[in-house]
Amino acid sequence: MEIREISFYHEFECLAGDCPENCCHGWVIPLEEEDVLRFQKEKSLLKLKLIRATLFTGETFNPYSGTCPFHQADGLCELQLKKGHDFLPEVCRMYPRFYRNYGPFEEHYADLSCIHAAELFLSHLDDLFLTAGEGESLTPMIFTNDDDAYLKLLEDSREDLIRTFRTADSFDRLAFLITAAASYARSVQDSYLNRETDYLLRIPFSAYCETFRDGHPEGSSARFFPFSSETIRDLMDSSLFHPRLKQTDPSFYKMCMLYFETYKGRMSSNNGWEELYLSFAGRYPELSKAYAGYFIYYLYLYYLKSYEDYSFRKNTLLGIIHLNLVFMLSVLREKKEGHFDAASLSSVISLYNRRACFNANVLDDMYKCIDYDV
């Protein structure tokens, strides 16, 4: 079948013991049946440690989402050292590689919850694209839809969105495009609810932006990026944050506490928040390209989810939420440390994505915070 891979896919190599934010902490790992059978064949002390790691259920690995019991002080994995890479749970073997099988083709990415994948992403902002070839599928198809014509419409729509977002060469331009994308997603959603299934074909996002500009010029205050201080507050008060993160994900916890302990009061008004983000944008105007790239990468990974659920609005707004929170946490980190660079941004992205992008309950809770009238 056709296999599409993000441009830096084959550059990824695990940093192992040199990783500053290793993936052996803060995750509950689902186990496949093959993983369980493999573990059950072990004997003596290793089997006892495997039983502890799976909490006797055989369904998850590292169930308390603390530090994996096989994670050594040198940052290496005891299981991998003793039994080899193929002995690891399937999710551990794959991570951060991300596969999605759409039927006619499969796409391969490196997930940005891994700090090294985030570093590679930032180094490839100028050549962020999919390469195509032939190969064997690595994952079963998870979609029930078999409407190839609709899938092609979504592919074309995604490409048009990505091509348009590549023009975001300033924070004002990015703010305009994000607000237009929120409005566009609502229009597409409404059109499908009204059985106008040709909307994507008739009105691509690039054409929609030309009309949208009349009522929302670049620099307009009516926008979805950055969010208002009230929306930021609602998102940070959602289940995105939990005191238990102090044990399970201490780095993300510390980053969130910058907001709660230091800047929540200053950001209680829109003027206070605007002063913070305008100051950041003024010092780092070149980073507008990186934040646009972050949204582009989200579109690559998640826009085609609408092939199954037709939830254009939700799938687009979740990407806008992620962009806003990564931006807000970037602003606060720079304010605390006095500088901000690619290493800082890759850290913010990986810590945020690890917490926010894989928990359906957290995603649903954050989505409820957004007033999506545009």
Side-chain angles (χ1 to χ4, degrees):
M1 70 183 306
E2 182 181 358
I3 303 295
R4 302 172 182 174
E5 296 173 337
I6 199 64
S7 48
F8 59 89
Y9 180 78
H10 289 287
E11 292 182 39
F12 176 81
E13 291 185 6
C14 179
L15 298 179
D18 294 328
C19 183
E21 294 290 346
N22 69 77
C23 55
C24 300
H25 189 96
W27 298 89
V28 176
I29 305 299
L31 293 178
E32 302 296 328
E33 183 179 355
E34 294 79 3
D35 298 328
V36 177
L37 293 174
R38 188 165 59 255
F39 295 163
Q40 289 175 345
K41 293 178 182 178
E42 290 305 309
K43 299 177 181 179
S44 65
L45 181 59
L46 181 59
K47 184 165 187 176
L48 290 176
K49 293 184 74 171
L50 285 166
I51 290 174
R52 176 193 170 204
T54 56
L55 194 64
F56 298 94
T57 66
E59 296 177 357
T60 58
F61 199 79
N62 196 27
Y64 296 116
S65 66
T67 298
C68 175
F70 295 101
H71 181 235
Q72 300 182 152
D74 60 4
L76 301 178
C77 173
E78 180 186 356
L79 273 185
Q80 185 168 8
L81 289 172
K82 287 183 175 180
K83 303 292 294 185
H85 183 72
D86 290 343
F87 189 82
L88 299 176
E90 181 180 0
V91 172
C92 296
R93 297 196 306 271
M94 291 170 50
Y95 183 80
R97 298 163 186 86
F98 182 99
Y99 312 125
R100 182 161 281 146
N101 185 340
Y102 294 95
F105 57 89
E106 183 174 275
E107 294 186 347
H108 298 175
Y109 299 94
D111 193 82
L112 302 188
S113 57
C114 166
I115 191 168
H116 188 43
E119 290 169 346
L120 287 171
F121 152 73
L122 289 174
S123 71
H124 282 269
L125 290 173
D126 289 326
D127 59 344
L128 203 60
F129 56 85
L130 291 171
T131 61
E134 293 295 318
E136 295 293 326
S137 172
L138 297 178
T139 188
M141 182 178 175
I142 59 173
F143 299 95
T144 60
N145 199 337
D146 60 359
D147 186 346
D148 290 348
Y150 173 51
L151 179 59
K152 183 63 168 61
L153 271 179
L154 285 175
E155 289 182 79
D156 291 344
S157 177
R158 180 179 68 173
E159 185 55 37
D160 182 65
L161 276 156
I162 288 171
R163 186 167 51 249
T164 305
F165 268 92
R166 293 192 196 279
T167 69
D169 55 359
S170 69
F171 279 101
D172 278 346
R173 175 66 174 167
L174 178 58
F176 167 76
L177 290 176
I178 286 293
T179 305
S183 177
Y184 183 68
R186 178 176 181 172
S187 297
V188 176
Q189 186 82 65
D190 290 346
S191 70
Y192 272 84
L193 289 175
N194 293 326
R195 301 182 183 279
E196 299 172 18
T197 56
D198 64 339
Y199 189 92
L200 287 173
L201 182 63
R202 289 189 297 107
I203 309 177
F205 177 65
S206 53
Y208 185 88
C209 285
E210 295 305 312
T211 303
F212 188 78
R213 188 190 309 277
D214 294 339
H216 301 79
E218 292 182 25
S220 167
S221 59
R223 59 189 183 185
F224 270 51
F225 177 80
F227 279 149
S228 69
S229 61
E230 292 87 352
T231 301
I232 294 290
R233 178 201 62 210
D234 292 344
L235 288 166
M236 293 300 292
D237 286 339
S238 74
S239 56
L240 172 70
F241 177 80
H242 192 281
R244 188 168 176 266
L245 289 170
K246 188 174 184 179
Q247 286 74 47
T248 62
D249 198 345
S251 296
F252 184 68
Y253 176 85
K254 290 178 183 177
M255 199 159 60
C256 289
M257 293 311 293
L258 276 178
Y259 171 79
F260 287 110
E261 292 184 342
T262 307
Y263 291 105
K264 186 175 183 179
R266 185 169 176 181
M267 290 175 58
S268 60
S269 71
N270 280 323
N271 287 340
W273 168 222
E274 184 175 14
E275 179 184 343
L276 284 171
Y277 73 68
L278 286 178
S279 177
F280 178 89
R283 284 194 295 277
Y284 306 96
E286 73 283 357
L287 286 183
S288 62
K289 182 177 180 179
Y291 294 106
Y294 178 76
F295 189 70
I296 286 171
Y297 203 72
Y298 174 86
L299 292 173
Y300 270 128
L301 267 72
Y302 295 107
Y303 186 74
L304 297 189
K305 284 186 68 178
S306 298
Y307 181 47
E308 180 70 11
D309 60 21
Y310 291 84
S311 296
F312 296 94
R313 184 181 298 161
K314 183 175 183 180
N315 292 331
T316 301
L317 286 178
L318 284 175
I320 293 173
I321 289 170
H322 298 329
L323 172 63
N324 271 277
L325 287 175
V326 163
F327 178 69
M328 186 273 293
L329 293 169
S330 299
V331 171
L332 300 193
R333 180 161 173 169
E334 190 274 343
K335 193 68 177 175
K336 176 179 182 293
E337 298 181 356
H339 65 89
F340 200 78
D341 55 19
S344 306
L345 182 53
S346 61
S347 176
V348 171
I349 288 173
S350 63
L351 290 171
Y352 173 81
N353 277 34
R354 180 183 297 197
R355 171 59 182 167
C357 294
F358 297 96
N359 188 316
N361 292 330
V362 170
L363 292 171
D364 288 342
D365 204 24
M366 292 196 297
Y367 178 63
K368 294 174 184 176
C369 297
I370 307 303
D371 176 8
Y372 32 75
D373 286 333
V374 186

